[in-house]
Amino acid sequence: MAKKRITQENIINAFLFSAFENGAGASSLQDISDILQIKKASLYNHFESKDEMYAVTLDYCRMYLSNVNFIPDELREKPNLFDDSVQSVFKKIIKRFINIYEEEPCFQIYSFIHTEQYFNVSAMEIRKNEIEKIEEGFLFLIKGFVEAGKLKKLTPTELRSTSAMMAAVVLQQMDLYIIQKKETVRQNPESGVGSLFALPTDDATMNSIIKLFEIYIKFLPKNEPCE
């Protein structure tokens, strides 16, 4: 039988999958080797210890998330982006962002960083950077609609506070979504680690998030006539 080839990235993803179900602290090297179906000793060809694996996993998460943008560049550069209604654009962007986290390993990464931010400074910084990116994205959208004449001009303080509030809502809803996804896994144990996203998308939760934002958007000060 040919020897199974395992890369450092394979091990990191197995660690993320185990942490998603059991927590990083409760995930042993044996758990990770079982996921990969290799001998535990083989892990030492890539990492000296679990602590090193943890540190490299954080770096992996940082690098991965640096390429995940709340508003993609192609959308920012779209010349007629603000021709559509405020509700339509916000809905499209929020739905797209949440859908990104339906893909492995993005969902597990989000869960890992969300949990580890309370125990690790590097994880806290990664989470902080993600919050800032989302806040900046909402700031970009609100400014764009103000310039398009569809929202009333806000003071710099109002712009920042509104963007921060919307980012907080997105992250709060994402956190709830993770909890519900984990419960889905518990109710479908036969799906196994790594098969989480073979399960159906939670459309009900997605729709409730969108509806919540539609309510928030209605309170944004619009220019007359209303849309």
Side-chain angles (χ1 to χ4, degrees):
M1 182 182 293
K3 186 177 180 180
K4 191 170 184 178
R5 297 186 63 183
I6 296 296
T7 66
Q8 192 176 74
E9 186 171 1
N10 294 145
I11 297 172
I12 289 170
N13 281 311
F15 181 34
L16 287 169
F17 293 148
S18 180
F20 182 80
E21 287 203 334
N22 308 310
S27 295
S28 68
L29 293 179
Q30 187 63 57
D31 292 330
I32 296 162
S33 61
D34 287 346
I35 291 170
L36 295 169
Q37 297 181 332
I38 61 173
K39 293 181 179 179
K40 184 172 73 170
S42 299
L43 297 175
Y44 292 103
N45 294 328
H46 301 272
F47 299 102
E48 292 184 357
S49 64
K50 184 184 170 184
D51 286 344
E52 183 188 10
M53 183 189 302
Y54 181 92
V56 174
T57 298
L58 280 174
D59 286 338
Y60 175 83
C61 293
R62 181 185 293 104
M63 293 282 292
Y64 194 100
L65 292 175
S66 69
N67 295 313
V68 177
N69 295 315
F70 183 61
I71 304 177
D73 291 339
E74 62 269 20
L75 199 56
R76 284 177 179 270
E77 297 165 4
K78 185 179 178 183
N80 59 344
L81 173 62
F82 300 105
D83 289 350
D84 292 334
S85 69
V86 177
Q87 289 88 345
S88 174
V89 173
F90 271 73
K91 180 178 179 179
K92 183 187 301 181
I93 289 173
I94 292 167
K95 189 171 184 178
R96 171 199 164 277
F97 181 70
I98 294 172
N99 282 336
I100 289 174
Y101 288 93
E102 288 279 20
E103 300 294 329
E104 295 179 343
C106 211
F107 205 96
Q108 288 89 344
I109 287 174
Y110 185 97
S111 178
F112 182 78
I113 295 301
H114 174 266
T115 302
E116 295 307 306
Q117 68 175 318
Y118 301 108
F119 309 104
N120 184 280
V121 174
S122 294
M124 182 181 67
E125 287 298 320
I126 295 171
R127 175 75 167 184
K128 181 180 176 183
N129 290 338
E130 289 305 294
I131 293 171
E132 289 175 351
K133 281 202 298 186
I134 298 172
E135 288 180 1
E136 188 280 329
F138 279 118
L139 189 63
F140 168 80
L141 291 176
I142 296 169
K143 282 183 175 180
F145 280 115
V146 168
E147 291 174 5
K150 295 187 176 183
L151 292 175
K152 288 183 179 179
K153 188 173 182 179
L154 301 175
T155 67
T157 299
E158 289 172 332
L159 277 170
R160 286 291 175 187
S161 61
T162 301
S163 301
M165 178 272 293
M166 289 189 158
V169 173
V170 165
L171 291 167
Q172 177 196 54
Q173 295 303 308
M174 283 293 296
D175 294 345
L176 292 173
Y177 199 39
I178 286 174
I179 293 170
Q180 291 172 350
K181 272 291 187 180
K182 285 186 175 181
E183 184 59 28
T184 300
V185 173
R186 292 189 186 99
Q187 293 174 3
N188 296 270
E190 70 281 359
S191 65
V193 175
S195 300
L196 173 62
F197 301 100
L199 298 171
T201 298
D202 189 346
D203 290 330
T205 302
M206 176 75 79
N207 290 336
S208 69
I209 294 172
I210 296 301
K211 286 180 180 178
L212 177 62
F213 258 89
E214 286 176 344
I215 294 171
Y216 275 95
I217 291 166
K218 286 179 182 179
F219 285 97
L220 289 175
K222 298 177 177 62
N223 279 335
E224 298 295 343
C226 294
E227 294 177 8

